[in-house]
Amino acid sequence: MTHQLHAHPLFQVRTELLSPEESIALSYKRARLLFKAHSPTIQDIQSCSPRFWAMLRDPICAMDIAMFTILVCQASLTIGTLSRHLKSRPDLKPLVDRLMRFETVGIYLLTERGHGLDAFNVETTATKTPHGFILNTPREEAAKFMPGSSPKFGIPKVALTMARLIVNGEDRGTRFFIVPLCDEREMYRGVESVTLPRRSGTQPFDWSITRFNNVHLPSTALVASDMNNFSRPPNPLQSWWNEIWRIPIGTLVVAAPWISALKATAYIGGRYSMYRCILGKGNQPTPIMSFRTQQWPIMHATAAAMVLDNWYPVAIDSTIDRSVDHSVRHALAVIGKTTICRHFQRCIPEVAERCGAQGTFEHNYMAKIENDGKGAIIAEGDVLTLCIRLFSELLLKRYEIPLPPPEESLLARHASGLLEENIELFNALKCDHRSESFNNLLLPQSQPVVEAMGHALAYSAASKAGIPQYVLDVYESAIIRQDPAWYSERAGINRLSQRLREDAAVSSMLPHLPTLLSELNIAQYVTAPIVSDTQWKTYLDQLPVHSGNAVPIPEQFHAML
């Protein structure tokens, strides 16, 4: 059923023709439909089985990012967090069953307005009483900053809310609490949802700030296998990471739709460039795809989409492999998210710009998905902050990342070379990781080093999978473009040689481009009307037309001196 889901009437509606409220309501319906179509079990979600990943990797997620956000909060975060307590907490089963049927929507209230990624230091309090807990937002900065808490769409909602457990006036560390937010019509007493304005140019969603005023919760609201354990953990930070154990999984989860978005963008830009013509020599129609300046961004996006699509399942396996150290698994998820999201950010605007004015309109997908993608950079950990943490730990040699050997490829040599030169600089500076020298000289290199690792891993996986060499060569050329000085200084490939390598790669891949675009298997999900002249004319017929019978009065248009 899932491969035909795009043909369902709910997915045929063009959201740009709806009001924001209608669009959000549609996204909730689509999320329920997609969840039902893939039918993951609780065990699938807890263990991150192939069925769980197939749902979140469904190409249709890239067509409605609001729907994808609902699914991630519902399945990966809310159900996933509760799932591991079900054996010892059968009282949670009715709630989880309602979530599995999408009769209730779950959201994940971790981040606070005044803390952002510093979520370890949240201020929301849950004070123990003889009858349960009282939940409070002590000040404005402690309000939860997460989407979806409003009652506007006729759906009961419940939140997993991170708060500081206060027992007899003592802070016992952070815990999750189950907090009902609203029924089908209104918020529950003491809970307030502040609806934020729409994020500019994105799929509409009910972004919210949520706050609590003396919300009474039963003792069963504490998310724990042992509801009577209120002791302060010996290692509060480690305990906090244990509570938010779904976040590292989510770090890689949120990267999933951007590979499909890359495919869609490559397909839209490629098809448009093949039929869109200018008048050339002798007034002969010349497809704009004839120009190398048009070919490069489309082939770059195509090659990146193919390589990343091949690497992503490998990254998933590495991230959920319990035989690998937890820190390394999280690091691999960070590398995956960083590499995919930054490829997306570079390719999308370049292809959209080459589609001219058409590339700026919502109905042609690219402008909107570029803005939607900015949210992914923040979700489940801001990319740059994640890179800083990972890079610092690598320089401190707290663990190592299993990278391809330098001799395997030019990109593997680049990754190991960048990491090694930064380790040498760190040792030469004789500073610690909180020093001014580290902040000024080393931290700015964190993201380039992490990306380089991702490039090497992705290229290695694609090469072993038999991706055509001309695709790999275009991908390699795109990476060289990001750091031409290193390849000139350390690999002996000067600027002219880099241009000649790129020219050869593009010339080799160009004859295969129509076939490669078809093999992306994204065409059935693409609704952008500019992929063909026929589809554009059909779309144009759906738009409002203004006409009338007014007759201009000549005197009104005479020139006046």
Side-chain angles (χ1 to χ4, degrees):
M1 175 183 175
T2 56
H3 71 282
Q4 298 176 340
L5 197 59
H6 67 277
H8 190 280
L10 284 181
F11 288 98
Q12 292 299 300
V13 178
R14 303 199 67 102
T15 55
E16 74 270 13
L17 302 179
L18 301 177
S19 70
E21 289 73 20
E22 290 171 331
S23 181
I24 297 169
L26 178 64
S27 293
Y28 278 105
K29 293 175 183 176
R30 286 173 168 178
R32 183 185 295 113
L33 180 63
L34 182 59
F35 189 89
K36 182 178 179 181
H38 284 272
S39 301
T41 65
I42 296 172
Q43 181 59 32
D44 287 328
I45 295 171
Q46 182 180 2
S47 64
C48 299
S49 75
R51 186 188 292 267
F52 166 79
W53 285 103
M55 176 179 68
L56 298 173
R57 292 188 67 200
D58 194 309
I60 213 160
C61 289
M63 306 302 122
D64 186 340
I65 295 302
M67 175 197 70
F68 176 73
T69 303
I70 294 164
L71 274 176
V72 170
C73 291
Q74 180 86 351
S76 184
L77 295 176
T78 307
I79 297 174
T81 298
L82 294 172
S83 64
R84 70 175 181 179
H85 299 293
L86 288 176
K87 285 186 179 179
S88 55
R89 291 284 305 278
D91 60 294
L92 297 177
K93 187 70 163 49
L95 170 61
V96 173
D97 286 345
R98 291 198 303 275
L99 291 166
M100 292 292 292
R101 294 191 298 266
F102 250 89
E103 294 172 358
T104 297
V105 165
I107 64 176
Y108 194 80
L109 297 182
L110 170 63
T111 306
E112 294 180 353
R113 206 281 299 169
H115 291 282
L117 287 173
D118 185 26
F120 175 65
N121 291 310
V122 296
E123 298 179 59
T124 302
T125 58
T127 303
K128 183 75 178 71
T129 72
H131 307 292
F133 308 93
I134 297 178
L135 191 69
N136 267 304
T137 302
R139 62 186 187 126
E140 182 275 322
E141 290 83 353
K144 298 295 183 179
F145 198 109
M146 279 290 281
S149 65
S150 75
K152 294 167 60 177
F153 304 99
I155 309 168
K157 293 180 179 178
V158 65
L160 295 188
T161 302
M162 177 67 79
R164 311 201 76 79
L165 173 61
I166 307 299
V167 180
N168 297 325
E170 181 185 357
D171 184 345
R172 301 287 177 86
T174 52
R175 305 284 201 284
F176 273 118
F177 294 84
I178 300 168
V179 184
L181 298 178
C182 64
D183 60 18
E184 295 89 342
R185 298 174 302 279
E186 62 179 334
M187 305 300 294
Y188 288 118
R189 183 174 299 159
V191 184
E192 292 182 334
S193 175
V194 181
T195 299
L196 292 167
R198 178 179 173 182
R199 286 176 52 224
S200 180
T202 61
Q203 184 83 11
F205 195 40
D206 53 332
W207 299 99
S208 311
I209 288 177
T210 311
R211 54 200 184 204
F212 307 101
N213 182 21
N214 290 329
V215 177
H216 291 257
L217 301 174
S219 58
T220 54
L222 178 64
V223 179
S225 294
D226 181 359
M227 291 188 301
N228 297 311
N229 183 3
F230 306 126
S231 61
R232 181 173 176 80
N235 186 332
L237 181 58
Q238 185 57 46
S239 175
W240 178 76
W241 275 109
N242 185 54
E243 291 288 331
I244 63 166
W245 67 284
R246 296 296 295 195
I247 291 291
I249 296 169
T251 298
L252 194 57
V253 163
V254 297
W258 313 112
I259 299 175
S260 294
L262 260 178
K263 291 182 179 183
T265 297
Y267 183 85
I268 293 165
R271 292 300 179 195
Y272 174 75
S273 300
M274 289 174 187
Y275 88 82
R276 180 75 164 87
C277 294
I278 62 170
L279 291 180
K281 187 176 181 180
N283 286 332
Q284 291 297 313
T286 302
I288 59 176
M289 184 60 95
S290 304
F291 299 96
R292 183 52 54 96
T293 50
Q294 196 77 14
Q295 295 163 5
W296 168 256
I298 292 162
M299 281 194 277
H300 176 197
T302 304
M306 293 178 66
V307 169
L308 296 177
D309 189 48
N310 181 85
W311 174 47
Y312 193 66
V314 179
I316 290 171
D317 291 342
S318 300
T319 301
I320 63 175
D321 184 353
R322 295 299 178 91
S323 68
V324 177
D325 180 80
H326 168 78
S327 297
V328 175
R329 285 189 281 127
H330 189 209
L332 290 169
V334 170
I335 293 170
K337 176 184 176 179
T338 299
T339 307
I340 292 167
C341 287
R342 293 309 190 204
H343 269 306
F344 168 87
Q345 284 189 302
R346 292 186 181 101
C347 289
I348 305 303
E350 195 174 17
V351 176
E353 183 178 310
R354 298 273 42 84
C355 293
Q358 293 276 28
T360 67
F361 282 89
E362 182 176 346
H363 55 258
N364 285 324
Y365 183 68
M366 294 172 286
K368 185 181 76 170
I369 201 66
E370 181 186 354
N371 284 329
D372 276 324
K374 293 172 184 175
I377 304 303
I378 311 292
E380 312 289 353
D382 175 89
V383 161
L384 182 56
T385 305
L386 291 173
C387 288
I388 287 171
R389 182 170 183 259
L390 168 56
F391 179 67
S392 300
E393 292 179 339
L394 292 177
L395 294 193
L396 293 167
K397 296 191 174 181
R398 290 179 176 168
Y399 50 83
E400 294 183 355
I401 303 299
L403 294 173
E407 60 273 13
E408 181 178 291
S409 70
L410 190 57
L411 302 191
R413 184 178 166 191
H414 180 233
S416 61
L418 282 186
L419 180 59
E420 187 58 37
E421 71 182 39
N422 280 282
I423 291 175
E424 291 174 1
L425 176 58
F426 178 49
N427 293 334
L429 290 172
K430 293 182 170 53
C431 63
D432 64 46
H433 66 293
R434 300 188 188 280
S435 68
E436 185 175 352
S437 296
F438 193 94
N439 177 50
N440 294 343
L441 295 174
L442 288 165
L443 285 193
Q445 298 303 310
S446 57
Q447 183 180 297
V449 171
V450 172
E451 275 196 86
M453 292 178 178
H455 300 151
L457 289 165
Y459 185 96
S460 178
S463 178
K464 290 173 182 175
I467 296 292
Q469 189 61 46
Y470 48 79
V471 174
L472 295 176
D473 289 345
V474 168
Y475 183 78
E476 181 187 81
S477 296
I479 306 310
I480 291 174
R481 274 194 175 201
Q482 294 181 37
D483 193 1
W486 187 93
Y487 289 95
S488 179
E489 294 172 359
R490 300 299 182 91
I493 308 172
N494 63 32
R495 289 185 302 142
L496 178 58
S497 297
Q498 291 176 26
R499 288 167 62 187
L500 292 174
R501 287 169 70 99
E502 183 179 299
D503 175 63
V506 173
S507 296
S508 179
M509 180 173 164
L510 184 59
H512 305 278
L513 185 60
T515 300
L516 294 174
L517 292 176
S518 297
E519 290 176 349
L520 292 175
N521 295 320
I522 201 70
Q524 63 268 41
Y525 300 95
V526 171
T527 59
I530 58 167
V531 294
S532 74
D533 199 48
T534 300
Q535 286 180 246
W536 167 251
K537 287 179 170 58
T538 300
Y539 180 73
L540 193 62
D541 288 341
Q542 301 175 43
L543 300 180
V545 177
H546 301 278
S547 60
N549 296 304
V551 177
I553 301 172
E555 289 79 4
Q556 292 179 342
F557 299 96
H558 285 169
M560 298 181 66
L561 297 178

